Amino acid sequence: MNMTDRARSQGWILDIALSLGGYDALHPEAKPTLEECGHNHSDFDKVFELVKSGVMMPKAWSTIAAQAEERARHYDREGFAATAKDFYQRAAVMWGRAQYSFYQDDPRKLLFRERCNECVAAISRLSDQTIQRVELEFEGKKIYAILFLPSGDVKNAPAVILGPGMDMIKEDYIQIAQRYYTSRGMVALSIEGPGQGESVASGLKVTLTNYERAISRYIDYLQGLPQVDPERIGMFGVSMGAYWGLRGAAHDPRLHSLATFMSSPGEIGDSFSKAQPNFKANHMYMTGYTDEEAYDSEIISNFPIWDLASKVKCPVLIGNGEFDELIRVEDILSFYELIEAPKEIRIYENEFHPLGGVAAEMFRYGADWSLKALNGGFAEGSDKRYYAHVDGRITEGEAQPVWWLGAQPPEVQARKKRVTV
């Protein structure tokens, strides 16, 4: 079992926080973001009524998932396809959360994954669009995705790879793919890379470099589809999915756009020191490390990607919260200065890592921006900066927090100088 020293010694703190604060103890203001991903708010509340400590999470998620799936089967038997599909969607994402709660190989994790897959199969059967499970051979193992095609006879459409964060799975994009992509005639491919979901369950661990190679494998797949324009493939990623997307864009020029939110230059040592302890424990499981000292030396110390920023050639969108508890706004502003491709940054006032206050905006704008980028809408040298106020106003031309009154932290000044010299 992978477990960090901090997770062992501080688990009681997390238990108290969960008991008193619910899911906000893990991710402040994350509920709206999870609702965009297909969670129903009443299901969510039922789950956390059952949670008094961290070890109760898988039971709570699986209990409410089973209830939603039972209701789905009822409507399915009665012939009410749309209602059944909605309940299968709710069940699928909860089975996904249940399996994620095990940071080790465990028969229960595999069983919850099977239940999730069954729900996805039902969603596919009941949908009026193509929702297709994808399995690809990759470096002796397999990687898994879900393909979403628009209705009708689609040819040469733009396509976007949807990259999940470290604690997400491909099913978290089912609702988003249909609401924001296929509804506009775009193809979407929700992926799991090495270390995630079914990929890690089948034994594929994540290394420092194999995730970007998995992205290339998914690009190969998309380019082979008649529905996809091979010159208009982009990626959308959140949190660690944004980090992996940046690595993928630096690695493979066939990505023609990259929209990221909760973006990171990869300073995960700093992130894990501030996050609740299980984050690091889970990432160790994803990498296959059991020795924390070796993990710190070989993974954390080599994780940052400051040197890769200039290798990204496609248009890049970055959207981050001003008070992201995992990624310092100073770091992402500094990283942005190093990007030489057409670029845009939006810093959202008073937002935390999940960007819960702007969740609907994040997913809608990410799709909107991606379509424009894939259609050649951003000129060479484009550099757009915005600070989004909580009252709806937008400060244009500068993304740094307004309360700084124009004073830039030393590290931002240093990196800006390095770029302009």
Side-chain angles (χ1 to χ4, degrees):
M1 176 180 179
N2 292 331
M3 184 61 67
T4 68
D5 290 338
R6 183 165 169 253
R8 290 190 192 96
S9 64
Q10 297 182 5
W12 64 273
I13 300 174
L14 178 60
D15 290 344
I16 293 173
L18 281 169
S19 179
L20 297 177
Y23 198 74
D24 273 9
L26 302 178
H27 293 291
E29 300 181 0
K31 189 174 178 180
T33 304
L34 290 177
E35 287 181 348
E36 283 290 310
C37 294
H39 287 269
N40 177 274
H41 68 274
S42 63
D43 294 337
F44 198 88
D45 290 343
K46 288 178 182 178
V47 167
F48 282 92
E49 286 174 2
L50 301 176
V51 174
K52 302 302 178 186
S53 69
V55 295
M56 300 177 75
M57 293 281 283
K59 178 182 179 181
W61 282 115
S62 62
T63 297
I64 308 304
Q67 293 175 6
E69 187 176 356
E70 180 64 28
R71 194 63 58 90
R73 289 173 178 167
H74 163 75
Y75 285 112
D76 201 353
R77 290 192 300 269
E78 295 295 316
F80 294 98
T83 306
K85 180 172 172 283
D86 285 352
F87 273 102
Y88 281 125
Q89 160 71 54
R90 290 161 60 175
V93 291
M94 287 191 287
W95 284 122
R97 298 312 303 174
Q99 66 85 32
Y100 169 76
S101 300
F102 294 102
Y103 307 133
Q104 62 195 72
D105 294 327
D106 190 290
R108 292 164 295 181
K109 188 180 185 77
L110 294 175
L111 181 60
F112 294 161
R113 161 48 57 188
E114 290 174 7
R115 296 290 291 269
C116 182
N117 288 349
E118 290 168 2
C119 289
V120 174
I123 293 168
S124 177
R125 171 173 53 82
L126 297 170
S127 179
D128 58 359
Q129 296 181 353
T130 297
I131 301 175
Q132 179 181 320
R133 177 181 165 83
V134 175
E135 297 183 12
L136 300 177
E137 297 294 329
F138 176 73
E139 299 183 357
K141 300 286 186 180
K142 286 188 176 182
I143 50 178
Y144 301 84
I146 303 175
L147 176 68
F148 301 85
L149 299 178
S151 300
D153 185 20
V154 180
K155 301 289 185 183
N156 293 318
V160 174
I161 296 169
L162 303 177
M166 188 184 86
D167 55 352
M168 294 173 64
I169 55 175
K170 61 187 179 299
E171 286 79 14
D172 288 324
Y173 280 120
I174 292 174
Q175 179 169 283
I176 290 165
Q178 296 171 90
R179 178 178 290 176
Y180 299 126
Y181 292 91
T182 59
S183 63
R184 300 188 63 182
M186 303 172 72
V187 173
L189 184 70
S190 176
I191 71 168
E192 287 169 342
Q196 291 177 308
E198 286 189 84
S199 298
V200 74
S202 66
L204 179 60
K205 302 294 187 176
V206 66
T207 70
L208 287 170
T209 60
N210 67 350
Y211 204 106
E212 59 255 43
R213 296 195 298 275
I215 290 173
S216 293
R217 182 71 182 91
Y218 285 124
I219 295 173
D220 293 342
Y221 169 75
L222 285 172
Q223 287 190 328
L225 297 178
Q227 296 90 348
V228 173
D229 181 345
E231 298 301 317
R232 289 193 295 163
I233 296 174
M235 185 166 177
F236 172 97
V238 297
S239 192
M240 196 74 84
Y243 166 87
W244 284 317
L246 287 161
R247 292 194 70 109
H251 169 74
D252 198 323
R254 294 178 299 168
L255 273 183
H256 292 279
S257 72
L258 177 64
T260 71
F261 290 86
M262 312 168 218
S263 311
S264 168
E267 298 290 350
I268 58 169
D270 182 56
S271 299
F272 287 153
S273 70
K274 295 182 291 187
Q276 60 94 354
N278 284 338
F279 279 9
K280 185 177 182 181
N282 182 51
H283 195 256
M284 284 182 64
Y285 165 64
M286 293 170 68
T287 62
Y289 276 75
T290 56
D291 183 324
E292 187 172 3
E293 185 175 337
Y295 169 84
D296 290 346
S297 173
E298 297 169 20
I299 298 296
I300 286 185
S301 63
N302 295 305
F303 212 73
I305 54 170
W306 298 96
D307 60 325
L308 296 183
S310 63
K311 297 181 180 180
V312 177
K313 303 303 180 184
C314 66
V316 178
L317 168 65
I318 286 177
N320 277 54
E322 180 181 10
F323 294 108
D324 189 311
E325 69 277 17
L326 302 181
I327 304 159
R328 297 194 321 147
V329 69
E330 292 90 343
D331 282 349
I332 202 59
L333 289 170
S334 297
F335 185 79
Y336 182 81
E337 297 294 347
L338 303 178
I339 298 173
E340 300 172 4
K343 58 187 179 179
E344 176 176 328
I345 186 169
R346 291 176 178 260
I347 299 298
Y348 295 93
E349 183 182 13
N350 291 352
E351 286 295 324
F352 298 100
H353 186 69
L355 293 175
V358 294
E361 177 181 349
M362 167 177 61
F363 290 115
R364 170 60 77 189
Y365 185 63
D368 215 14
W369 183 93
S370 296
L371 183 58
K372 181 176 180 178
L374 292 174
N375 287 335
F378 297 103
E380 192 72 26
S382 176
D383 182 349
K384 298 178 179 291
R385 306 178 185 218
Y386 305 96
Y387 179 77
H389 299 256
V390 292
D391 63 7
R393 291 179 298 123
I394 298 288
T395 294
E396 301 183 13
E398 185 50 71
Q400 68 182 37
V402 172
W403 64 270
W404 290 3
L405 301 180
Q408 295 180 330
E411 60 266 47
V412 178
Q413 292 180 14
R415 293 195 182 276
K416 180 174 284 190
K417 183 177 181 180
R418 172 182 162 187
V419 172
T420 55
V421 168

